[in-house]
Amino acid sequence: MLTEFLAKAAALYITGAPLLTGLPATQHKKSVSRRKNLNRNENSNGEEPFPGDVIYVKRMGDLYRHYGIYAGHNRVIHYAGRGGDWGDDVSIHEAPLHEFLQDARHFTICRFKTRCDIPGYHLYSREETLCRAYLRLGERNYNLISNNCEHFAIWCRTNISTSSQVRNAGRTLCGVFDLVDLLLE
C-alpha cells in the first residue's frame, strides 16, 4: 500500500500532473497539454510524448524494437543494461532519453485500443501507466522470450505482458522449419 502510494506520488511529481480526481475536464486538459520541445528527439510523426506514453525505437535498421515508458523531462523507464539494450546488468531503470535513443533519431509513440477482447486487458491512463513502471524499478528478471522491454512496456499500459516481436520470431522459425521439412522430404 505504501509502495503504491509512493510510486503514484513520484509519478505525479515527475509529470507535473495534478491529482486527476475532482478536476474539471478543461483544467485537466490544460495541465496535460503542456509539452516540452524535444528538438531532434521528436517522434517520427513530429509529436511529443506525454509522461506515461509507451514509446519505441527501431534498432539495427528494423531488426528489433526497443520499448520504454516516457517519464517526462526527457527521461524514459525501460528494461535494459546500463548504457545499452544488452549487458550483464539488465534491469528496469530510468535513463535519459538520449540513452534510450542511442543512435536512433526518432521514436514512435504506441497507440492502444480503448477496448479489447483479450482477457485481462485494461487500458490504464498515462498517469497509472507511469506508476506501474515506477513500481517495477530495479527489477532484474529479464528474459528475451518471456519478460523483455516490450513485455514490460505493454504490461504497464494494458496489464497484458506480451511481445509481438517474440510472436513474430516464433512464426518465422516455424516457417523455416516447415520449409526445411519440405526440402528434406
Side-chain angles (χ1 to χ4, degrees):
M1 183 84 142
L2 178 61
T3 306
E4 186 177 332
F5 170 77
L6 292 174
K8 187 169 186 172
L12 293 172
Y13 172 77
I14 288 170
T15 63
L19 288 172
L20 302 180
T21 53
L23 283 179
T26 55
Q27 190 175 358
H28 174 250
K29 284 182 182 176
K30 188 175 181 182
S31 67
V32 172
S33 66
R34 293 184 308 226
R35 295 180 170 199
K36 283 187 161 186
N37 182 355
L38 300 178
N39 299 325
R40 80 170 199 95
N41 298 331
E42 289 181 349
N43 82 14
S44 55
N45 294 329
E47 295 178 72
E48 296 175 21
F50 285 116
D53 275 337
V54 175
I55 63 174
Y56 71 83
V57 292
K58 295 177 181 179
R59 297 271 198 258
M60 297 181 190
D62 196 10
L63 180 62
Y64 74 98
R65 296 174 181 188
H66 182 62
Y67 286 78
I69 306 295
Y70 184 71
H73 305 290
N74 288 332
R75 301 199 50 86
V76 177
I77 300 170
H78 63 142
Y79 222 142
R82 298 287 176 178
D85 296 348
W86 315 104
D88 57 352
D89 187 25
V90 177
S91 67
I92 296 175
H93 63 276
E94 189 171 346
L97 182 61
H98 67 85
E99 180 183 304
F100 174 81
L101 290 171
Q102 291 182 5
D103 295 332
R105 293 181 52 204
H106 301 285
F107 59 84
T108 301
I109 299 171
C110 298
R111 303 288 179 220
F112 296 89
K113 294 180 180 180
T114 306
R115 290 187 172 78
C116 181
D117 293 334
I118 298 172
Y121 182 93
H122 174 81
L123 185 62
Y124 289 99
S125 70
R126 287 182 181 100
E127 291 83 6
E128 291 169 318
T129 299
L130 191 55
C131 285
R132 290 167 64 84
Y134 275 114
L135 283 172
R136 289 183 59 184
L137 277 179
E139 179 181 298
R140 285 181 163 73
N141 297 322
Y142 183 87
N143 181 296
L144 182 62
I145 306 302
S146 63
N147 195 32
N148 65 37
C149 63
E150 185 178 8
H151 288 100
F152 163 70
I154 302 301
W155 174 85
C156 286
R157 186 76 166 141
T158 69
N159 200 44
I160 303 294
S161 181
T162 187
S163 171
S164 61
Q165 296 176 104
V166 170
R167 283 193 318 276
N168 292 340
R171 284 189 206 118
T172 300
L173 282 175
C174 287
V176 168
F177 292 138
D178 289 345
L179 179 61
V180 169
D181 285 345
L182 286 173
L183 294 174
L184 295 178
E185 287 182 352

